[in-house]
Amino acid sequence: MNSRRTRIYEGKAKILYEGPEPGTVIVHFKDDATAFNAEKKAVIEGKGVLNQRISEYLFSRLNEIGIPTHFIRSLNMREQLVREVEIIPLEVVVRNIAAGSLAKKLGLEEGHVLPRSIIEFYYKNDALGDPMVSEEHITSFGWATPMELDDMMHMAIRINDFMTGLFLGIGIKLVDFKIEFGRLFENDMMRIVLADEISPDSCRLWDTKTLDKMDKDRFRRDMGGLVEAYHEVARRLGIIQPNEQPERSKPKLVKTD
Ligand code: UDP
């Protein structure tokens, strides 16, 4: 089915194909999982579909509150049509509760509520292991201008406020998340839009009552039950019907004769 498409790029969890019109791209969500700068790898059947559906939902809701995004529409369960953007080489991490690398670096207990939300920047560079960088590094090396940084920080705070409330309403704590932005060129104009994805692969989500992890830490820490946890996030968001089962199997060939 995909044989006639032109592949632009294959990343760790997604494949990008040329879109049907200039300035569009098709994003295919793979079932591949990686962690620790791709040192740990696995294929987790059903993960790509859940991430596509959760990301579609969150990008649509964010669009409704005025956050510009690259998202146009979903094409099927695993693929979406997006606007072609020039990705800014930064991972923008927003944290509400100490976990992961921050807890380790500063010797904080996981679960420690931060005095206020914190924004961090990491330079997207696999060979360097995505080092943390400051605003000074970003502007002096020209990865983003001071105005672009300002835009990204404003959007990151709005996204955090909105998603914190959205998840709290369904019994989930938004511990932290990573987002990426891109430059969208339209006529002679350029603006910064939210790009990539927002899914349990890029967020830390804890059940409010049990503190159960409902995110990629289940894979990082070999806890199992990843698809079930992502499915539960989708179910609580109302994306998946209560009786819908996690999609585990790949499409099968149906014999017609
Ligand atoms: N994150 C991500 N991609 C990365 C690094 C981090 O999506 O390459 C997300 C991660 O899932 C978490 C947040 O960003 O929700 C903060 O991650 P952290 O810095 O604690 O790094 P980790 O512990 O994942 O190495």
Side-chain angles (χ1 to χ4, degrees):
M1 191 185 97
N2 297 339
S3 56
R4 252 179 279 143
R5 285 186 184 165
T6 310
R7 194 158 66 173
I8 306 171
Y9 174 78
E10 178 155 4
K12 283 172 268 188
K14 293 188 286 283
I15 307 174
L16 304 185
Y17 296 98
E18 258 178 22
E21 290 138 37
T24 64
V25 171
I26 294 169
V27 183
H28 176 102
F29 286 70
K30 297 194 285 184
D31 282 337
D32 299 23
T34 62
F36 312 119
N37 205 15
E39 275 171 35
K40 180 171 177 164
K41 287 185 201 168
V43 175
I44 304 175
E45 257 182 51
K47 181 176 82 76
V49 167
L50 285 161
N51 279 348
Q52 193 287 125
R53 291 178 74 177
I54 293 169
S55 196
E56 170 201 17
Y57 180 83
L58 294 173
F59 273 54
S60 304
R61 297 295 80 75
L62 288 166
N63 224 334
E64 284 164 8
I65 63 151
I67 304 283
T69 78
H70 74 161
F71 181 77
I72 303 173
R73 64 172 187 274
S74 291
L75 297 172
N76 54 55
M77 301 273 264
R78 223 176 244 289
E79 294 178 326
Q80 48 187 236
L81 186 66
V82 305
R83 289 190 200 290
E84 185 177 27
V85 296
E86 181 184 284
I87 289 286
I88 293 173
L90 296 172
E91 298 195 337
V92 180
V93 169
V94 183
R95 302 178 183 274
N96 301 306
I97 297 173
S101 68
L102 180 77
K104 199 169 161 194
K105 203 169 357 194
L106 300 186
L108 296 169
E109 205 175 312
E110 279 221 320
H112 176 92
V113 179
L114 299 172
R116 61 177 176 83
S117 304
I118 293 172
I119 304 182
E120 295 171 349
F121 300 98
Y122 294 84
Y123 177 48
K124 266 168 74 80
N125 185 313
D126 283 340
L128 299 176
D130 297 345
M132 192 186 201
V133 291
S134 72
E135 293 178 40
E136 286 281 282
H137 296 120
I138 295 167
T139 51
S140 60
F141 289 111
W143 299 322
T145 66
M147 230 168 77
E148 288 174 335
L149 249 184
D150 223 50
D151 274 5
M152 289 190 278
M153 290 175 78
H154 273 111
M155 280 196 252
I157 291 164
R158 287 197 67 207
I159 293 166
N160 184 46
D161 286 348
F162 179 78
M163 292 215 306
T164 299
L166 179 82
F167 280 114
L168 258 191
I170 54 168
I172 294 174
K173 284 188 196 201
L174 178 62
V175 173
D176 57 32
F177 62 94
K178 183 268 300 181
I179 44 181
E180 294 183 27
F181 293 93
R183 297 185 183 96
L184 178 63
F185 296 91
E186 280 171 324
N187 308 317
D188 284 343
M189 300 281 287
M190 186 279 287
R191 60 191 174 121
I192 304 290
V193 301
L194 179 66
D196 193 46
E197 69 174 287
I198 305 181
S199 72
D201 265 9
S202 56
C203 299
R204 282 198 173 89
L205 303 168
W206 295 354
D207 182 275
T208 343
K209 286 205 188 105
T210 62
L211 299 183
D212 264 0
K213 297 185 194 308
M214 306 173 78
D215 56 58
K216 205 166 108 177
D217 272 348
R218 299 200 77 88
F219 169 68
R220 294 188 189 98
R221 299 178 187 195
D222 294 321
M223 298 168 77
L226 181 135
V227 165
E228 289 74 11
Y230 285 27
H231 190 266
E232 176 60 12
V233 172
R235 193 193 64 76
R236 290 195 200 176
L237 285 170
I239 305 169
I240 278 182
Q241 299 315 306
N243 53 356
E244 220 178 300
Q245 292 303 311
E247 190 191 294
R248 288 196 155 276
S249 55
K250 298 216 167 73
K252 289 186 183 70
L253 268 182
V254 178
K255 281 191 182 153
T256 49
D257 54 348

